[in-house]
């Protein structure tokens, strides 16, 4: 299949304030990440909070400029394009934010909020704009009579539907859904996930779905990439990853998924220690201080993300 989005050796480092010794520190948010997303595919990007997955999504959209590496969109290198040259790509690449209320202007009606991308990108004439907004509202399960209401008049799930409608306004090819259901109740999460699945298939959208909940990732994704402290440690199809995870970190994440039946007891793999700081990450494999299968080489050399079986990539010395 032809990749719509491809990143090669992508890095995003942030300069922090001075440390106690007077030197500026570098936060390695995304550090040498490579993957591709095929046209019409849903790639789930999962990991603990602070692992860099949201930053990775924003760098791909060029909300943040990359420190180094390549970003390819539809075969074109967009890594170093300036604001004017990026403009044709902006309407083809949209984002659904985590906080459905914080991403909406409280002074703007939802009709104007959904229409705003059309105005910015000049894609719908003014006389047709309201009808287009109503059409999109119908697609996401909003009532047209709500078009002149304000964000505070809606529930959390409805606000997220507004965010999805706004992302669809430009008829994009690619959407980054950044923790788009994590702030919602479980019952509402299911509705939004099902809505995203239906819209993705209907409009043939390529989707990067970012989450920390593996059960949500399993439901919506075609392939899954697991991120730890700025690096991809495992990537495979949903079937392969949930059927036979190879990396010790992925195995620990899978064992921590709660079982809905209270009568079943599940013994999870408890990871020792805390996630290290991305300002001062461990040498070698970044997971080695918490890994139950650590070997001598793990703290000395960084493992490469290698294909150990067809379509299944793992960065671990256990499979050398």
């Amino acid at each position: 299949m032809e990749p719509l989005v491809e990143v090669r050796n992508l890095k995003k480092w942030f300069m922090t304030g001075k440390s106690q010794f007077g030197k500026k520190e570098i936060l390695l948010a995304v550090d040498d990440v490579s993957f591709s997303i095929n046209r019409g595919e849903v790639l789930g990007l999962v990991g603990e909070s602070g692992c860099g997955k949201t930053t990775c999504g924003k760098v791909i959209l060029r909300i943040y400029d990359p420190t180094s590496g390549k970003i390819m969109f539809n075969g074109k290198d967009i890594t170093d394009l300036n604001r004017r040259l990026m403009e044709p790509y902006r309407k083809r690449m949209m984002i659904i934010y985590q906080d459905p209320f914080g991403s909406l202007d409280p002074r703007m009606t939802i009709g104007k909020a959904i229409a705003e991308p059309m105005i910015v990108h000049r894609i719908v004439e003014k006389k047709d704009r309201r009808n287009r907004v109503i059409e999109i509202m119908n697609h996401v399960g909003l009532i047209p009579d709500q078009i002149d209401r304000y964000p505070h008049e809606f529930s959390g799930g409805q606000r997220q539907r507004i965010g999805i409608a706004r992302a669809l306004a430009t008829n994009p090819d690619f959407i980054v859904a950044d923790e788009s259901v994590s702030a919602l109740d479980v019952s509402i999460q299911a509705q939004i996930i099902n809505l995203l699945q239906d819209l993705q298939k209907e409009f043939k959208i390529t989707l990067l779905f970012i989450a920390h909940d593996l059960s949500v990732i399993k439901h919506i994704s075609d392939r899954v990439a697991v991120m730890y402290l700025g690096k991809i440690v495992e990537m495979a199809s949903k079937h392969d990853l949930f059927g036979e995870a190879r990396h010790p970190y992925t195995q620990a994440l899978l064992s921590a998924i709660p079982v809905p039946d209270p009568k079943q007891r599940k013994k999870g793999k408890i990871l020792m220690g805390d996630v290290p700081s991305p300002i001062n990450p461990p040498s070698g494999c970044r997971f080695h201080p918490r890994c139950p299968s650590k070997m001598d080489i793990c703290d000395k050399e960084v493992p490469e993300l290698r294909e150990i079986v067809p379509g299944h990539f793992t960065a671990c010395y256990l499979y050398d």
Side-chain angles (χ1 to χ4, degrees), residues 184-225:
L184 306 176
D185 293 339
V186 174
S187 59
I188 306 300
Q189 282 186 10
Q191 294 176 19
I192 298 300
I193 292 166
N194 290 335
L195 173 64
L196 284 172
Q197 280 187 310
D198 293 341
L199 294 172
Q200 188 266 331
K201 291 174 183 175
E202 181 179 354
F203 296 105
K204 297 178 173 59
I205 296 168
T206 304
L207 184 65
L208 176 62
F209 189 87
I210 298 170
H212 60 265
D213 188 336
L214 273 166
S215 57
V216 171
I217 289 284
K218 183 179 182 180
H219 187 73
I220 196 171
S221 304
D222 299 310
R223 283 190 304 136
V224 181

Side-chain angles (χ1 to χ4, degrees), residues 268-288:
K269 296 182 179 180
I270 300 174
L271 295 176
M272 303 303 293
D274 297 322
V275 180
S277 169
I279 293 176
N280 186 26
S283 59
C285 174
R286 294 191 174 173
F287 185 61
H288 86 260

Side-chain angles (χ1 to χ4, degrees), residues 96-260:
I96 303 168
Y97 289 99
Q98 176 179 358
D99 182 1
F101 189 66
S103 63
L104 296 170
D105 187 338
R107 301 164 298 178
M108 189 180 287
T109 65
I110 67 156
K112 289 181 179 179
I114 296 170
E116 189 176 28
M118 305 178 196
I119 298 168
V120 170
H121 295 290
R122 302 180 294 277
I123 58 172
V124 178
E125 293 185 16
K126 187 175 181 179
K127 61 183 178 63
D128 301 322
R129 206 172 288 150
R130 188 175 179 90
N131 287 337
R132 172 62 177 157
V133 170
I134 291 173
E135 180 186 348
I136 296 171
M137 288 176 66
N138 284 324
H139 275 298
V140 301
L142 293 169
I143 302 170
D145 291 347
Q146 299 171 324
I147 192 169
D148 295 317
R149 295 185 185 179
Y150 290 86
H152 72 271
E153 300 179 71
F154 294 88
S155 67
Q158 288 174 320
R159 289 181 198 135
Q160 196 57 283
R161 290 175 188 269
I162 297 165
I164 294 169
R166 191 170 56 176
L168 292 174
T170 61
N171 195 23
D173 300 306
F174 176 60
I175 292 178
V176 173
D178 179 22
E179 299 273 13
S180 54
V181 297
S182 64
L184 306 176
D185 293 339
V186 174
S187 59
I188 306 300
Q189 282 186 10
Q191 294 176 19
I192 298 300
I193 292 166
N194 290 335
L195 173 64
L196 284 172
Q197 280 187 310
D198 293 341
L199 294 172
Q200 188 266 331
K201 291 174 183 175
E202 181 179 354
F203 296 105
K204 297 178 173 59
I205 296 168
T206 304
L207 184 65
L208 176 62
F209 189 87
I210 298 170
H212 60 265
D213 188 336
L214 273 166
S215 57
V216 171
I217 289 284
K218 183 179 182 180
H219 187 73
I220 196 171
S221 304
D222 299 310
R223 283 190 304 136
V224 181
V226 181
M227 200 166 185
Y228 183 80
L229 212 61
K231 289 186 175 291
I232 301 290
V233 297
E234 187 162 9
M235 185 163 53
S237 70
K238 172 176 65 177
H239 175 78
D240 288 348
L241 188 122
F242 282 88
E244 190 177 0
R246 304 299 182 106
H247 197 281
Y249 177 61
T250 310
Q251 292 169 356
L253 288 181
L254 290 174
S255 73
I257 298 176
V259 178

Side-chain angles (χ1 to χ4, degrees), residues 7-10 30-35 56 227 230-232:
V7 296
R8 303 172 186 167
N9 306 111
L10 189 66
V30 178
D31 195 23
D32 199 14
V33 164
S34 300
F35 61 83
C56 186
M227 200 166 185
K231 289 186 175 291
I232 301 290

